[in-house]
């Protein structure tokens, strides 16, 4: 430790993840509602998922968007990185903006159940203000686009 003494820490190793703010041409945003076991409740979130070993972040984002929502995007921009909980995990989430959305067929993983939502972007931001959206990656992604724009 900084004072020369020794300490012990417990933390969770994580392979890394991506999250996607997917915007339609009309300015609406693609969200998901799914049950999360640690909190025993449903959350409204942007699409996201874990990296596979050796998989580049952008490829993970494209794969997860298609698997979870059934959409592909023609325009991708990296917005930044989020360190989710620096006190107990090394998890990092690369946040992407996806535009030029086209619907295909969803390919959910076994045991994955979620509802796809399409909402006006400002309604999603209002859901952060009133507490209906509390997920950190979703708040970060939506507020990033709200603050700095979809042309980031």
């Amino acid at each position: 430790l900084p004072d020369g003494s020794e300490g012990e820490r417990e933390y969770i190793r994580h392979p890394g993840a991506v999250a996607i703010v997917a915007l339609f041409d009309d300015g609406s945003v693609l969200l998901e509602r799914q049950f999360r076991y640690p909190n025993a409740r449903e959350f409204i979130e942007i699409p996201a998922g874990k990296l596979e070993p050796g998989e580049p972040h952008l490829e993970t984002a494209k794969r997860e968007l298609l698997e979870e929502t059934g959409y592909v995007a023609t325009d991708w921009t990296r917005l930044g990185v989020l360190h989710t909980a620096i006190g107990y995990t090394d998890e990092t989430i690369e946040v992407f903006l996806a535009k030029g959305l086209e619907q295909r067929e969803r390919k959910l993983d076994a045991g994955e159940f979620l509802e796809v939502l399409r909402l006006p972007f400002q309604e999603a931001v209002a859901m952060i203000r009133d507490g209906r959206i509390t997920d950190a990656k979703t708040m970060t992604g939506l507020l990033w686009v709200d603050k700095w724009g979809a042309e980031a």
Side-chain angles (χ1 to χ4, degrees):
L1 299 174
D3 66 0
S5 64
E6 291 188 18
E8 187 174 309
R9 301 288 187 268
E10 293 181 352
Y11 59 96
I12 299 168
R13 291 266 185 211
H14 192 280
V18 299
I20 305 107
V21 178
L23 294 181
F24 291 94
D25 292 340
D26 68 359
S28 58
V29 64
L30 186 63
L31 299 170
E32 303 171 347
R33 180 190 331 266
Q34 67 178 313
F35 185 84
R36 293 297 194 170
Y37 289 92
N39 294 82
R41 60 169 275 223
E42 289 183 335
F43 285 86
I44 296 175
E45 309 171 45
I46 56 177
K50 288 191 295 189
L51 296 170
E52 296 291 337
E55 184 178 41
H57 289 85
L58 180 57
E59 294 309 308
T60 302
K62 291 177 178 181
R63 176 179 54 76
E64 288 291 342
L65 184 65
L66 178 61
E67 286 178 3
E68 293 185 356
T69 71
Y71 282 90
V72 295
T74 58
D75 185 16
W76 289 88
T77 304
R78 180 187 178 273
L79 297 178
V81 65
L82 167 66
H83 293 96
T84 59
I86 59 174
Y88 64 84
T89 182
D90 66 350
E91 179 183 22
T92 60
I93 299 178
E94 294 276 343
V95 184
F96 289 90
L97 174 65
K99 298 191 312 187
L101 301 178
E102 298 174 12
Q103 191 166 18
R104 298 280 170 34
E105 185 176 338
R106 218 164 50 150
K107 300 175 182 177
L108 292 173
D109 291 333
E112 188 172 38
F113 302 94
L114 56 88
E115 175 188 359
V116 176
L117 309 170
R118 181 176 177 169
L119 297 175
F121 184 81
Q122 287 305 318
E123 182 177 336
V125 172
M127 293 171 78
I128 295 170
R129 275 193 302 273
D130 68 23
R132 289 179 287 162
I133 291 178
T134 59
D135 171 60
K137 71 183 176 302
T138 301
M139 294 171 70
T140 300
L142 293 176
L143 292 174
W144 181 289
V145 171
D146 191 49
K147 171 73 175 169
W148 290 298
E151 303 304 321

